[in-house]
Amino acid sequence: MTALPEPAGLRLAAPDLFRSVFRRHAAGVAVITARGAAGPVGFTATSLTSVSAEPPLLSFGVGTGSSSWPVLAGAEHVGVHILGEHQAETAATFARSGADRFGPATSWRTGPEGVPVLDGVLAWLVCRVTARVPAGDHRIVLAEVLLGDPTGAGSPLLYHQGRFGGLRD
């Protein structure tokens, strides 16, 4: 058996390698919201995953150093919003540290269970948090879907190579 030559770009595992590889992975863009004592919080997530259909469960990752984590650490319910390609600025706002995420540029309302619900999204869900699993500098949040609305119009927003964009034929 002959050993194959190592690829020219081979690198040992490190945070920069990890980020470089996942920049090549196109991911859908969601915004996660919750209600805190001082008002609503939210952040952009590309880690949203369907976990189970029966019962309906999803997961997402959140950094424990994020400004939203203190609220999410104790929140009973969260909102999950699937963004459309027309919402790149919303995604950028919710990803930007120190941004006024629920300021005048963001159209939203208080939804079921007091969860902030963003307007104009492709779909949204209200979920009950069932677990928070430690994972490095993040927590994986597991949540059970309670209700939602899948009827928004448009195509999904994607995150790829460090930029927000839409599907291309």
Side-chain angles (χ1 to χ4, degrees):
M1 183 167 172
T2 307
L4 296 174
E6 291 184 6
L10 185 66
R11 300 183 343 212
L12 292 176
D16 66 323
L17 169 66
F18 186 78
R19 288 184 192 102
S20 293
V21 168
F22 273 89
R23 278 189 196 103
R24 293 175 176 267
H25 173 69
V29 181
V31 167
I32 310 298
T33 61
R35 171 68 66 181
V41 300
F43 68 97
T44 299
T46 57
S47 61
L48 181 64
T49 304
S50 168
V51 173
S52 168
E54 197 55 47
L57 294 172
L58 58 80
S59 70
F60 59 87
V62 58
T64 56
S66 79
S67 61
S68 298
W69 173 243
V71 170
L72 287 165
E76 290 185 37
H77 296 91
V78 294
V80 176
H81 308 82
I82 308 300
L83 299 189
E85 64 182 339
H86 63 284
Q87 295 178 300
E89 188 53 41
T90 299
T93 297
F94 278 83
R96 194 175 308 119
S97 180
D100 186 3
R101 296 173 179 158
F102 290 91
T106 303
S107 179
W108 66 282
R109 64 193 181 284
T110 300
E113 303 295 343
V115 170
V117 174
L118 303 180
D119 295 328
V121 297
L122 297 186
W124 60 267
L125 300 165
V126 171
C127 306
R128 181 179 59 82
V129 174
T130 60
R132 295 168 185 86
V133 180
D137 61 355
H138 279 60
R139 294 295 181 268
I140 304 302
V141 177
L142 293 168
E144 181 178 10
V145 176
L146 302 178
L147 55 93
D149 182 353
T151 62
S155 295
L157 181 64
L158 299 177
Y159 185 73
H160 181 251
Q161 292 289 58
R163 294 188 309 266
F164 297 112
L167 293 172
R168 302 291 174 246
D169 290 334

